[in-house]
Amino acid sequence: MREFLVEITTTIPEGTGQDEIDRRRAAEAVRARELAAAGNLARLWRPVGELRSIGVWRAADEHELHEKVLGTLPLRPWMTVGVTALESHPNDPARPGDTS
């Protein structure tokens, strides 16, 4: 699987009821755990003081990432998503096969 840096900003539509927000957030947490268990969600961070997330996600390609991974998130209709494809850097200290 390829890795992608994904930046997500979620904007709740004005007038959305708290019950709907709570329902989607709870479902989002469940789906994130499922995607992590499947290997699609590797890491997830929230910048201090910001209502957005930055994560490392995995999929076969960008189309699969959008359609079969991010597209399955309950909050996806409210998200703005930026995706950057990643590749291993030769100086990455965690690079597979590095014996140093």
Side-chain angles (χ1 to χ4, degrees):
M1 283 199 278
R2 295 192 60 196
E3 291 187 320
F4 300 88
L5 179 68
V6 179
E7 296 186 54
I8 299 171
T9 302
T10 303
T11 305
I12 299 167
E14 197 168 320
T16 303
Q18 191 61 48
D19 287 345
E20 176 68 7
I21 295 167
D22 293 345
R23 183 188 67 76
R24 284 189 188 235
R25 283 186 175 155
E28 186 84 5
V30 169
R31 186 64 183 136
R33 285 191 297 275
E34 292 169 350
L35 290 168
N40 297 107
L41 175 55
R43 296 295 309 267
L44 193 60
W45 298 269
R46 173 165 289 149
V48 175
E50 296 185 35
L51 294 176
R52 65 185 182 106
S53 62
I54 300 169
V56 176
W57 296 74
R58 296 182 180 127
D61 55 37
E62 193 167 339
H63 176 77
E64 180 180 284
L65 177 72
H66 283 284
E67 296 300 317
K68 296 183 179 177
V69 179
L70 300 175
T72 67
L73 296 170
L75 292 172
R76 180 61 185 104
W78 300 347
M79 292 177 173
T80 302
V81 177
V83 174
T84 303
L86 301 173
E87 62 183 25
S88 180
H89 190 285
N91 297 331
D92 180 357
R95 187 173 173 178
D98 188 6
T99 59
S100 50

